């Protein structure tokens, strides 16, 4: 059923795609229901395992103020996550999001791989026009998109967009890795909480 739905989905994508242009609700529902819980996904991780495990362990204690804000904005919402274990951005963001979800009743999360998740990734390209992991889409009770988080938090996203070409790929990768360690998931959690709050207000936020 999932394959048939994905093949039936027609997409028109461009660098200027507007927020909340995910495939139809029947497709997002099929993807979500075929996805894995985060603990199941984490158990399957082979690449970057120490990063995944370390961030998940560190995320056991989150900023209480952010958790309170997330609970006040709780749905029921569902987070459809397209991620792969070998992606450094996925390993440095999704464990923190999973920890937040664990502490917020009314929010659930499922993970799918980039193959089946390709239509959602294609509909949410990065500012430099790439389909990327992770792509996180917030869905309401009717499986409609009401927010998204694409690839990496705003501060490091903006730095990579402006500085990577200046310093070179290797230096940029080292800077990004150091930034993730220093940030310790905070920027990711803040951005997801803001996305939940925007959904609660009825003003979908997708960036």
């Amino acid at each position: 059923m999932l394959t048939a739905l994905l093949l039936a989905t027609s997409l028109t994508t461009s660098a200027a795609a507007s927020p909340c242009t995910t495939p139809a609700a029947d497709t997002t529902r099929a993807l979500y229901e075929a996805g894995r819980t985060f603990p199941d996904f984490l158990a399957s991780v082979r690449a970057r395992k120490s990063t995944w495990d370390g961030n998940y362990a560190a995320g056991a204690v989150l900023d209480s103020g952010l958790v309170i804000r997330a609970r006040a904005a709780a749905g029921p919402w569902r987070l459809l996550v397209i991620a792969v274990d070998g992606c450094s951005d996925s390993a440095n963001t999704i464990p923190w999001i999973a920890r937040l979800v664990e502490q917020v009743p009314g929010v659930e999360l499922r993970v799918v791989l980039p193959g089946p998740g390709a239509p959602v990734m294609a509909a949410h390209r990065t500012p430099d026009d790439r389909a990327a992991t992770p792509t996180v889409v917030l869905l309401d009770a009717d499986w409609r998109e009401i927010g998204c988080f694409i690839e990496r938090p705003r501060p490091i996203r903006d730095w990579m967009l402006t500085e990577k070409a200046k310093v070179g790929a290797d230096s940029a990768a080292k800077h990004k890795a150091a930034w993730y360690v220093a940030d310790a998931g905070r920027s990711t959690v803040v951005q997801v909480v803001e996305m939940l709050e925007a959904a609660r207000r009825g003003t979908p936020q997708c960036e």
Side-chain angles (χ1 to χ4, degrees):
M1 177 180 177
L2 175 58
T3 300
L5 284 170
L6 292 177
L7 290 174
T9 301
S10 175
L11 295 173
T12 301
T13 60
S14 71
S18 59
C20 301
T21 55
T22 205
D26 56 354
T27 300
T28 55
R29 179 174 184 173
L31 281 168
Y32 186 91
E33 292 180 343
R36 287 179 285 182
T37 64
F38 183 77
D40 284 347
F41 174 82
L42 187 62
S44 73
V45 164
R46 296 295 178 266
R48 302 184 185 273
K49 184 168 176 56
S50 62
T51 302
W52 284 96
D53 289 343
N55 285 332
Y56 186 62
V61 180
L62 296 177
D63 183 307
S64 61
L66 291 174
V67 174
I68 290 170
R69 286 172 57 187
R71 288 174 177 169
W77 314 127
R78 301 178 180 93
L79 287 168
L80 172 61
V81 175
I82 296 91
V84 63
D85 59 354
C87 169
S88 63
D89 292 300
S90 295
N92 281 294
T93 58
I94 304 308
W96 299 98
I97 297 173
R99 283 299 197 185
L100 178 67
V101 168
E102 291 174 358
Q103 299 181 52
V104 181
V107 183
E108 299 178 353
L109 181 152
R110 293 292 184 275
V111 183
V112 300
L113 295 175
V120 177
M121 292 168 58
H124 297 85
R125 304 183 76 83
T126 63
D128 54 344
D129 198 26
R130 293 175 294 109
T133 54
T135 294
V136 181
V137 176
L138 180 64
L139 305 171
D140 68 11
D142 295 317
W143 307 98
R144 297 172 301 189
E145 181 185 336
I146 50 173
C148 71
F149 170 94
I150 309 301
E151 190 177 33
R152 51 182 71 122
R154 284 185 296 266
I156 191 61
R157 177 201 67 190
D158 293 345
W159 187 92
M160 293 288 284
L161 285 170
T162 60
E163 303 300 322
K164 182 177 178 179
K166 300 176 185 177
V167 304
D170 289 345
S171 292
K174 291 176 182 177
H175 175 85
K176 184 179 73 167
W179 184 90
Y180 272 128
V181 171
D183 186 69
R186 180 171 179 80
S187 294
T188 296
V189 175
V190 166
Q191 199 162 329
V192 171
V193 171
E194 290 174 351
M195 179 174 65
L196 296 175
E197 291 173 333
R200 172 56 64 191
R201 294 192 302 268
T203 55
Q205 176 175 297
C206 185
E207 58 176 307

